[in-house]
Amino acid sequence: MSDDMMAIEEGAKKSGILWLTLDRPRLAWHAWHDGAIYLVTGGEEQRLPGLDGLDRVHVTLRSKDNGARLVEFEAAVSAVDQAASADAVAVLAKERLNARDSEHLTERWARESTVWRLTPQR
C-alpha cells in the first residue's frame, strides 16, 4: 500500500467527518470500509447537493485532534446497491449517531436514501 493510501485510510478511520468539494466545501460524516469511504444522503440524512451528478469528487480529511489538513485526494463516486453491500451499510449504520430509529435505520435508508462509495484515486 502506498504512503498516500495509508494516510487516507488512517485519516478516514480516525475521524468520522470529511470535507467534499461540491457547490462549496461540504462537511459530511462517513465510515471507512474495505478500502473506501461510505456515506449516506437523502431522506432524513445529510444533504450533499450535486454529489449524485459526479463521477469524481475532491475529498479533504482533517485531523480529529487539531483540524489540520491531513490529506486531500480525488475519489471515484458510485452509488451502492444496499442489498448487495449489506456489510458496508452495517458499518456505516454503526457510525450514525443520534438516529431516531436506529433499530430500523438500514430499512429506512433502503427506502429513502442513497449510500455512496468514494474510492480514493491515488
Side-chain angles (χ1 to χ4, degrees), residues 2 5 10 17 23-24 29 41 45 52 55 69 91 99 106 109 112:
S2 73
M5 282 303 296
E10 182 178 342
I17 60 169
D23 57 332
R24 62 178 172 81
W29 68 270
T41 63
E45 299 303 329
D52 59 347
D55 59 352
R69 186 177 319 133
V91 168
T106 58
W109 287 352
E112 60 189 49

Side-chain angles (χ1 to χ4, degrees), residues 8 17-28 37 39 48-51 53-62 69-77 117-122:
I8 291 168
I17 60 169
L18 52 73
W19 291 92
L20 300 176
T21 303
L22 298 170
D23 57 332
R24 62 178 172 81
R26 299 274 183 166
L27 183 67
I37 291 167
L39 49 86
L48 297 172
L51 182 64
L54 299 177
D55 59 352
R56 294 173 68 87
V57 67
H58 187 82
V59 180
T60 303
L61 296 173
R62 295 189 172 272
R69 186 177 319 133
L70 292 176
V71 64
E72 294 184 50
F73 58 95
E74 295 294 313
V77 177
R117 178 183 169 104
L118 306 182
T119 307
Q121 303 292 294
R122 286 260 179 162

